């Protein structure tokens, strides 16, 4: 369940905070999968549909060199953007 994910993230953050230098140099990226449409819109099970549930997936990103805080964006990104982003931060 989602509550167990909350517990794992809580434990991870508190473990990292035992060494403040490690914590202050750690980037966090959390995202989700939108799953499959199972009967919605009278279409077969698929992820390639033009509906909000398919294209809008939450993503949380934080880290030491990010200057903007508490920002919500509507930019369209994909999983393919994650690796280049992390490489540019290295």
């Amino acid at each position: 369940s989602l509550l167990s994910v909350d517990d794992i993230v809580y434990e991870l953050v508190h473990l990292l905070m035992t060494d403040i230098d490690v914590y202050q140099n750690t980037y966090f990226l959390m995202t989700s999968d939108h799953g499959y449409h199972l009967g919605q819109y009278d279409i077969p099970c698929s992820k390639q549909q033009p509906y909000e549930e398919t294209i809008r997936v939450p993503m949380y990103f934080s880290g030491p060199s990010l200057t903007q805080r508490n920002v919500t964006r509507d930019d369209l990104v994909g999983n393919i953007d994650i690796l280049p982003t992390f490489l540019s931060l290295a």
Side-chain angles (χ1 to χ4, degrees):
S1 79
L2 193 54
L3 186 56
S4 62
V5 174
D6 289 345
D7 293 340
I8 292 168
V9 171
Y10 176 85
E11 289 178 22
L12 175 63
V13 169
H14 282 276
L15 176 65
L16 290 169
M17 289 179 79
T18 60
D19 185 339
I20 199 67
D21 290 329
V22 171
Y23 177 74
Q24 291 178 339
N25 288 299
T26 300
Y27 288 91
F28 291 94
L29 173 68
M30 291 176 235
T31 188
S32 179
D33 184 5
H34 44 63
Y36 286 103
H37 295 292
L38 299 175
Q40 291 97 337
Y41 308 108
D42 232 6
I43 55 177
C45 181
S46 175
K47 292 185 178 191
Q48 297 82 21
Q49 303 298 330
Y51 299 106
E52 286 295 310
E53 302 87 37
T54 304
I55 62 172
R56 303 283 181 211
V57 178
M59 179 183 287
Y60 171 80
F61 189 52
S62 70
S65 67
L66 304 177
T67 57
Q68 296 179 339
R69 301 283 184 210
N70 300 318
V71 175
T72 300
R73 302 185 87 134
D74 290 328
D75 298 351
L76 184 62
V77 297
N79 292 346
I80 195 167
D81 299 311
I82 294 173
L83 179 61
T85 300
F86 271 100
L87 290 176
S88 71
L89 294 169

